[in-house]
Amino acid sequence: MTPTPSRNSSPTAIKSHIDKPVVLVGLMGVGKSTIGRRLANRLGLPFVDSDDEIEAAAGMKVGELFENYGEDYFRDGERRVIARLIDGSLKVIATGGGAFVNPETRALILREATAVWLDADIDVLAERVSRRDTRPLVRDSDPKRVLTELAARRNRYYSQAPIHVHSGEGAHEDTVDRILEALAK
Protein backbone atom coordinates (compact mmCIF):
# COMPACT_ATOMS: atom_id res chain seq x y z
CA MET A 1 0.00 0.00 0.00
CA THR A 2 1.35 3.42 -0.99
CA PRO A 3 1.47 5.91 1.88
CA THR A 4 -0.48 9.13 1.37
CA PRO A 5 1.97 12.01 1.54
CA SER A 6 1.12 14.68 4.05
CA ARG A 7 2.87 17.36 6.02
CA ASN A 8 3.72 14.63 8.52
CA SER A 9 5.12 12.16 5.98
CA SER A 10 8.85 11.59 5.94
CA PRO A 11 10.67 13.08 2.95
CA THR A 12 12.25 9.67 2.34
CA ALA A 13 8.87 7.96 1.91
CA ILE A 14 7.64 10.62 -0.49
CA LYS A 15 10.94 10.80 -2.41
CA SER A 16 10.79 7.07 -3.09
CA HIS A 17 8.00 7.79 -5.60
CA ILE A 18 10.07 10.29 -7.56
CA ASP A 19 12.58 9.13 -10.16
CA LYS A 20 12.97 12.33 -12.23
CA PRO A 21 13.17 16.07 -11.63
CA VAL A 22 9.78 17.66 -10.89
CA VAL A 23 9.14 20.67 -13.14
CA LEU A 24 6.38 23.16 -12.35
CA VAL A 25 4.73 24.83 -15.33
CA GLY A 26 1.85 27.29 -15.62
CA LEU A 27 0.95 30.93 -16.02
CA MET A 28 2.74 33.71 -14.18
CA GLY A 29 1.42 34.31 -10.70
CA VAL A 30 0.28 30.74 -10.14
CA GLY A 31 2.95 30.23 -7.47
CA LYS A 32 5.51 28.04 -9.22
CA SER A 33 8.43 29.55 -7.29
CA THR A 34 6.76 29.77 -3.89
CA ILE A 35 5.13 26.35 -4.12
CA GLY A 36 8.27 24.90 -5.71
CA ARG A 37 10.41 25.97 -2.74
CA ARG A 38 7.94 24.45 -0.29
CA LEU A 39 7.62 21.26 -2.34
CA ALA A 40 11.40 20.87 -2.53
CA ASN A 41 11.69 21.45 1.21
CA ARG A 42 9.06 18.81 1.95
CA LEU A 43 10.80 16.34 -0.36
CA GLY A 44 14.27 17.15 0.89
CA LEU A 45 15.34 18.04 -2.65
CA PRO A 46 17.14 21.05 -4.11
CA PHE A 47 15.00 23.82 -5.61
CA VAL A 48 15.93 25.78 -8.73
CA ASP A 49 14.04 28.67 -10.30
CA SER A 50 14.82 28.87 -14.02
CA ASP A 51 14.30 32.67 -14.03
CA ASP A 52 16.92 33.05 -11.28
CA GLU A 53 19.31 30.89 -13.30
CA ILE A 54 18.67 32.94 -16.45
CA GLU A 55 19.35 36.16 -14.55
CA ALA A 56 22.57 34.74 -13.12
CA ALA A 57 23.74 33.58 -16.56
CA ALA A 58 22.86 36.86 -18.27
CA GLY A 59 23.87 39.19 -15.47
CA MET A 60 20.57 41.06 -15.68
CA LYS A 61 16.93 40.75 -14.63
CA VAL A 62 14.33 39.03 -16.81
CA GLY A 63 12.61 42.37 -17.41
CA GLU A 64 15.87 43.89 -18.63
CA LEU A 65 16.43 40.96 -21.00
CA PHE A 66 12.95 41.46 -22.47
CA GLU A 67 13.45 45.21 -22.74
CA ASN A 68 16.98 45.13 -24.18
CA TYR A 69 16.83 42.06 -26.41
CA GLY A 70 13.18 41.06 -26.86
CA GLU A 71 11.13 38.00 -25.99
CA ASP A 72 12.65 35.72 -28.66
CA TYR A 73 16.16 36.26 -27.28
CA PHE A 74 14.90 35.62 -23.74
CA ARG A 75 13.07 32.42 -24.76
CA ASP A 76 16.17 31.05 -26.46
CA GLY A 77 18.22 31.60 -23.30
CA GLU A 78 15.42 30.14 -21.21
CA ARG A 79 15.41 26.99 -23.38
CA ARG A 80 19.16 26.54 -22.95
CA VAL A 81 19.07 27.11 -19.19
CA ILE A 82 16.23 24.63 -18.66
CA ALA A 83 18.04 22.04 -20.78
CA ARG A 84 21.07 22.49 -18.48
CA LEU A 85 18.92 22.21 -15.33
CA ILE A 86 17.32 18.95 -16.42
CA ASP A 87 20.44 16.90 -15.86
CA GLY A 88 18.85 13.76 -14.43
CA SER A 89 19.39 14.71 -10.79
CA LEU A 90 16.36 14.85 -8.53
CA LYS A 91 15.24 18.42 -7.85
CA VAL A 92 12.23 20.70 -8.13
CA ILE A 93 12.39 23.26 -10.94
CA ALA A 94 10.09 26.27 -11.33
CA THR A 95 9.92 27.50 -14.92
CA GLY A 96 8.81 30.79 -16.41
CA GLY A 97 5.24 30.93 -17.69
CA GLY A 98 6.22 30.70 -21.35
CA ALA A 99 8.87 27.99 -21.06
CA PHE A 100 6.54 25.03 -21.64
CA VAL A 101 5.16 26.63 -24.81
CA ASN A 102 8.52 26.12 -26.55
CA PRO A 103 8.28 22.73 -28.36
CA GLU A 104 11.89 21.74 -27.59
CA THR A 105 11.62 22.65 -23.94
CA ARG A 106 8.23 20.96 -23.59
CA ALA A 107 9.49 17.75 -25.22
CA LEU A 108 12.55 17.70 -22.96
CA ILE A 109 10.47 18.23 -19.81
CA LEU A 110 7.92 15.59 -20.80
CA ARG A 111 10.68 13.09 -21.63
CA GLU A 112 13.18 13.73 -18.83
CA ALA A 113 11.11 15.12 -15.94
CA THR A 114 7.70 14.99 -14.30
CA ALA A 115 5.74 18.05 -15.38
CA VAL A 116 3.18 19.50 -12.97
CA TRP A 117 0.77 22.10 -14.33
CA LEU A 118 -0.17 24.55 -11.60
CA ASP A 119 -3.38 26.28 -12.54
CA ALA A 120 -5.48 29.00 -10.91
CA ASP A 121 -8.43 31.21 -11.75
CA ILE A 122 -7.57 34.29 -13.81
CA ASP A 123 -8.93 36.66 -11.14
CA VAL A 124 -6.56 35.15 -8.56
CA LEU A 125 -3.61 35.36 -10.96
CA ALA A 126 -4.41 38.97 -11.93
CA GLU A 127 -4.51 40.01 -8.29
CA ARG A 128 -1.17 38.27 -7.59
CA VAL A 129 0.72 39.71 -10.57
CA SER A 130 -0.62 43.20 -9.83
CA ARG A 131 1.36 43.23 -6.56
CA ARG A 132 4.72 43.68 -8.33
CA ASP A 133 5.95 45.47 -11.44
CA THR A 134 8.49 42.78 -12.38
CA ARG A 135 6.58 40.88 -15.05
CA PRO A 136 7.34 42.22 -18.53
CA LEU A 137 4.27 40.76 -20.24
CA VAL A 138 1.81 42.57 -17.94
CA ARG A 139 3.74 45.77 -17.27
CA ASP A 140 1.69 48.75 -18.50
CA SER A 141 -1.25 46.45 -19.38
CA ASP A 142 -4.42 45.13 -17.81
CA PRO A 143 -3.23 41.93 -16.04
CA LYS A 144 -6.61 40.20 -16.29
CA ARG A 145 -6.82 40.79 -20.04
CA VAL A 146 -3.21 39.69 -20.64
CA LEU A 147 -3.58 36.57 -18.48
CA THR A 148 -6.85 35.63 -20.18
CA GLU A 149 -5.15 35.90 -23.58
CA LEU A 150 -2.10 33.94 -22.37
CA ALA A 151 -4.31 31.20 -20.92
CA ALA A 152 -6.20 30.94 -24.22
CA ARG A 153 -2.91 30.40 -26.06
CA ARG A 154 -0.94 28.39 -23.50
CA ASN A 155 -3.37 26.10 -21.66
CA ARG A 156 -3.33 23.60 -24.54
CA TYR A 157 0.41 23.18 -23.91
CA TYR A 158 0.15 23.13 -20.12
CA SER A 159 -2.54 20.46 -20.39
CA GLN A 160 0.09 18.07 -21.77
CA ALA A 161 1.67 17.88 -18.29
CA PRO A 162 0.78 14.52 -16.74
CA ILE A 163 -0.12 16.15 -13.41
CA HIS A 164 -2.59 19.04 -13.15
CA VAL A 165 -3.07 20.73 -9.77
CA HIS A 166 -5.31 23.70 -9.06
CA SER A 167 -3.71 26.40 -6.91
CA GLY A 168 -6.36 28.64 -5.50
CA GLU A 169 -6.53 31.32 -2.86
CA GLY A 170 -5.92 28.79 -0.08
CA ALA A 171 -2.70 28.02 1.72
CA HIS A 172 0.32 27.10 -0.41
CA GLU A 173 0.77 24.01 1.76
CA ASP A 174 -2.59 22.70 0.52
CA THR A 175 -1.33 22.93 -3.06
CA VAL A 176 1.91 21.20 -2.04
CA ASP A 177 -0.16 18.42 -0.44
CA ARG A 178 -2.11 17.94 -3.70
CA ILE A 179 1.13 17.76 -5.71
CA LEU A 180 2.59 15.21 -3.29
CA GLU A 181 -0.55 13.09 -3.53
CA ALA A 182 -0.35 13.14 -7.31
CA LEU A 183 3.37 12.30 -7.31
CA ALA A 184 2.76 9.32 -5.01
CA LYS A 185 0.35 7.69 -7.46
Side-chain angles (χ1 to χ4, degrees):
M1 180 174 174
T2 303
T4 302
S6 71
R7 291 179 197 146
N8 300 322
S9 295
S10 77
T12 306
I14 297 167
K15 230 188 329 189
S16 68
H17 298 284
I18 300 169
D19 60 355
K20 302 185 220 182
V22 176
V23 178
L24 304 180
V25 302
L27 287 172
M28 68 178 92
V30 77
K32 296 179 300 284
S33 297
T34 303
I35 290 166
R37 279 185 193 86
R38 291 171 188 232
L39 177 64
N41 184 52
R42 293 263 295 276
L43 290 170
L45 294 174
F47 170 76
V48 184
D49 185 308
S50 66
D51 281 350
D52 291 344
E53 294 295 313
I54 291 163
E55 290 178 351
M60 63 179 69
K61 298 284 185 195
V62 168
E64 293 172 306
L65 286 166
F66 264 78
E67 190 175 306
N68 294 333
Y69 301 103
E71 186 174 359
D72 289 343
Y73 178 87
F74 171 78
R75 295 296 175 204
D76 184 56
E78 179 180 58
R79 178 190 54 75
R80 287 182 278 122
V81 165
I82 291 171
R84 177 177 50 82
L85 294 175
I86 299 179
D87 60 4
S89 63
L90 295 182
K91 64 182 84 151
V92 175
I93 303 169
T95 63
F100 204 64
V101 175
N102 178 287
E104 263 183 83
T105 302
R106 186 173 58 256
L108 174 68
I109 292 170
L110 292 173
R111 185 178 63 248
E112 303 293 332
T114 300
V116 177
W117 174 20
L118 290 181
D119 191 16
D121 297 331
I122 297 295
D123 288 332
V124 171
L125 296 176
E127 191 277 323
R128 288 179 185 169
V129 302
S130 296
R131 295 178 197 162
R132 293 183 298 177
D133 187 29
T134 58
R135 301 181 190 269
L137 295 178
V138 294
R139 190 176 294 141
D140 302 324
S141 299
D142 172 28
K144 186 172 180 177
R145 180 188 55 75
V146 171
L147 287 159
T148 299
E149 291 169 2
L150 287 172
R153 289 194 313 266
R154 294 179 177 177
N155 283 356
R156 65 183 172 159
Y157 301 113
Y158 298 146
S159 69
Q160 295 176 37
I163 297 174
H164 181 187
V165 174
H166 192 79
S167 169
E169 294 183 68
H172 291 308
E173 291 301 328
D174 295 339
T175 303
V176 172
D177 285 342
R178 288 193 293 278
I179 294 169
L180 291 171
E181 289 168 10
L183 289 170
K185 292 182 181 178

